[in-house]
Amino acid sequence: MNQNLLIVDDELEILMGLEELFRYDFPGELNIYTANSALEALKLLNQTRFDVVLTDIKMPGLDGISLYKRIKENWPRSKTVFLTGFHNFEDMYQVVNDPGVRYILKSEEDEVIIGAVQDALNDLQKELEQEENKIKQKALLEDAQVWMKKAILDQIINGEMDGERAEQLLTELTLPILITQPILIFLIRINENNQIHLDNYYLSERLCQIILENVPQKICVLPHIFNSREILLFIQASDVTNCEYKELFAIIKGAIEYSQEIFQNVYAGSFSGMLSSQAVKFMNCREHIKTLKQKLLIYQGIEEGVLVCMESEHESERIKECSSFKASKVSVSTKLSTLKLNLEYRKKKKYFQTLQECFGNMRHARSRHDTAVLEDYYSISVFLLQFINENYLTEQMAFKTALYKLTRADLFEDWEEAISYLIQVSEALFEVMDDNEVTLTERVLHRVIEYIDTHLSEDLSLTYLADLSGFNASYLSRLFKQVKKENISDYILHKRMKLAKKMLLETNEKVQDIAVKTGYMSAHSFARVFRKETGLAPKEYREMGGE
């Protein structure tokens, strides 16, 4: 994780000295930002996440204590290190109870100042690790409860646990239904024709979530993944004392129908269901579930996506088909917004998954003159043309594929050839956008590098370079290192040192002047950095004629 330090001081020379200290002497990688006032610091804080703020206390206008209070209010994770020229017990009293605050004197050695910031970063890292552990422990506990609940329900359904013990355990698990009151039971089976190859348990979990999101709050549903493809839904009204089970059945059936359509659109899958309108006691559900399974088997392999309503046992054994999603036509118009979203955000895999769904009617069409299929083709074609025009990609796309066919469905021998063409155009679009992204990145980095090379005596802070590039600071820092294989700060240092060596050997300019021309506030700062890099003082380097 990139770690960011913000240094705040109204005295410019001290500010630059601290920046150089952390830029060149800090042992780890650190993105360094500076602000000459608390107000300037607040502007930076609104743009970038800072792990540690190293700030003076006494500053004109908004002082360090006021800045600290704003930091705690808006960025509670940030650590603050106060750096001041004298003891002030009143100020210390305001911050002494905050473990995230350190208070050191400017007169301390450089190692102490660096150590205070390093300790603050270490504390932050420990806090993050502790929070991660809490989240993991909570997730483990929740998983344990889920599997415990599943094991108990499995035993009840299989008749392996007596009623009294089962009732006690289920009560302890705080289920969303009352096990002493009647319930409806639906059996859902995920079909094997899913186009996207995902783990069946994963699909079952996602389907349970979809169903729960479609159920109104006045209904309680306990989903139970019975095996990798079968889900049992235990259903009960929130107000069991005033429950009309026919109304309850109708509402939940509608929710299942909605869930079918969503499951099809999102996961390209289908499921069948046996929906019983007979209310039963939870502890007597075993035989009822067995009946549901037997009756759903009748439809296995014959109808996919069928919902069968099983009426009350007091009626005849009549079973009727309520709905079948399989026979429904694919609606391309409803998928165009998803296509556009995935194209704009470069989500290639999801884009082509959705595009394949749009081809459903084309793949089953028997005639090239099917008007519904022609509508699908031209809907996709117009979408692609519009995206190409809006993003000024026509010229680049012309080198990749023939765009005129988008408006000429009659040129294809069959719909499979048309499908292949639309896929080809889409592939070309992603290639062009990838090329443009690489080109843009190269141009931006070239501009940043060119600016650094020609402005070594000026402000080359990460904040300024980020503004110049149009990228945020963290992204620019990562991008620069990824491409140049070194940090921006290291690149700037090497360039400044290279220029300094050249000037020391080829000119008679004073060390003070060379320091200014290579971006340092004072000869002392320049000499410290130069010695660290070469092992020699600037004058020694000049006298020895170089390394």
Side-chain angles (χ1 to χ4, degrees), residues 9 13 68 125 138 164 229-230 359 433 495 508:
D9 201 302
E13 187 170 346
Y68 155 76
Q125 188 61 37
K138 183 179 179 181
E164 185 177 344
R229 288 179 51 223
E230 290 185 333
F359 296 148
M433 288 190 295
K495 283 291 181 177
N508 294 321

Side-chain angles (χ1 to χ4, degrees), residues 387-442:
F387 187 88
I388 291 168
N389 291 334
E390 286 178 351
N391 292 276
Y392 306 100
L393 301 176
T394 305
E395 186 175 344
Q396 291 171 278
M397 285 293 293
F399 289 98
K400 298 283 186 179
T401 187
L403 294 179
Y404 71 91
K405 292 183 182 179
L406 286 172
T407 58
R408 294 289 304 276
D410 58 301
L411 295 177
F412 304 109
E413 291 187 7
D414 53 38
W415 286 117
E416 281 300 326
E417 185 180 344
I419 289 172
S420 298
Y421 171 71
L422 292 175
I423 292 173
Q424 177 190 341
V425 173
S426 297
E427 290 280 7
L429 254 179
F430 276 97
E431 288 177 14
V432 167
M433 288 190 295
D434 287 345
D435 291 344
N436 288 350
E437 189 171 350
V438 171
T439 303
L440 175 63
T441 300
E442 289 176 347

Side-chain angles (χ1 to χ4, degrees), residues 135 153 162 246 273 282 288 300 373 440 455 500:
I135 293 172
L153 290 173
D162 66 82
K246 286 187 178 180
F282 191 90
H288 189 64
Q300 189 170 351
V373 178
L440 175 63
H455 295 78

Side-chain angles (χ1 to χ4, degrees), residues 497 501 529-537 541 547:
M497 290 297 101
K501 291 175 184 178
V529 175
F530 193 89
R531 181 182 290 277
K532 183 176 180 180
E533 287 298 305
T534 64
L536 299 170
Y541 182 87
E547 297 171 322

Side-chain angles (χ1 to χ4, degrees), residues 263-441:
F263 190 66
Q264 166 69 30
N265 290 336
V266 176
Y267 297 106
S270 65
F271 64 85
S272 302
M274 184 62 65
L275 317 181
S276 173
S277 63
Q278 178 187 348
V280 298
K281 286 290 186 70
F282 191 90
M283 300 311 300
N284 300 329
C285 67
R286 184 187 178 197
E287 291 302 319
H288 189 64
I289 293 171
K290 187 184 293 185
T291 302
L292 294 175
K293 291 170 71 71
Q294 290 171 348
K295 292 190 174 182
L296 189 57
L297 280 174
I298 298 172
Y299 293 86
Q300 189 170 351
I302 301 174
E303 295 287 352
E304 294 179 341
V306 66
L307 298 181
V308 181
C309 299
M310 190 179 85
E311 303 296 344
S312 169
E313 62 181 356
H314 301 298
E315 300 179 2
S316 65
E317 286 294 314
R318 177 173 58 93
I319 300 177
K320 65 178 180 179
E321 181 179 329
C322 296
S323 63
S324 177
F325 187 74
K326 179 184 178 183
S328 64
K329 288 276 188 178
V330 176
S331 177
V332 171
S333 61
T334 62
K335 298 181 183 296
L336 293 180
S337 59
T338 304
L339 276 177
K340 185 175 183 180
L341 189 67
N342 289 329
L343 193 56
E344 287 177 342
Y345 285 92
R346 313 293 195 271
K347 295 182 178 179
K348 188 173 182 179
K349 183 177 179 181
K350 290 184 178 180
Y351 171 86
F352 281 104
Q353 287 173 353
T354 306
L355 187 62
Q356 287 294 339
E357 294 172 16
C358 293
F359 296 148
N361 296 333
M362 291 189 206
R363 294 193 187 282
H364 295 96
R366 297 181 179 179
S367 170
R368 290 177 60 237
H369 305 290
D370 186 320
T371 55
V373 178
L374 281 168
E375 182 183 350
D376 285 353
Y377 176 83
Y378 285 115
S379 293
I380 299 170
S381 296
V382 169
F383 156 73
L384 290 170
L385 280 171
Q386 186 176 10
F387 187 88
I388 291 168
N389 291 334
E390 286 178 351
N391 292 276
Y392 306 100
L393 301 176
T394 305
E395 186 175 344
Q396 291 171 278
M397 285 293 293
F399 289 98
K400 298 283 186 179
T401 187
L403 294 179
Y404 71 91
K405 292 183 182 179
L406 286 172
T407 58
R408 294 289 304 276
D410 58 301
L411 295 177
F412 304 109
E413 291 187 7
D414 53 38
W415 286 117
E416 281 300 326
E417 185 180 344
I419 289 172
S420 298
Y421 171 71
L422 292 175
I423 292 173
Q424 177 190 341
V425 173
S426 297
E427 290 280 7
L429 254 179
F430 276 97
E431 288 177 14
V432 167
M433 288 190 295
D434 287 345
D435 291 344
N436 288 350
E437 189 171 350
V438 171
T439 303
L440 175 63
T441 300

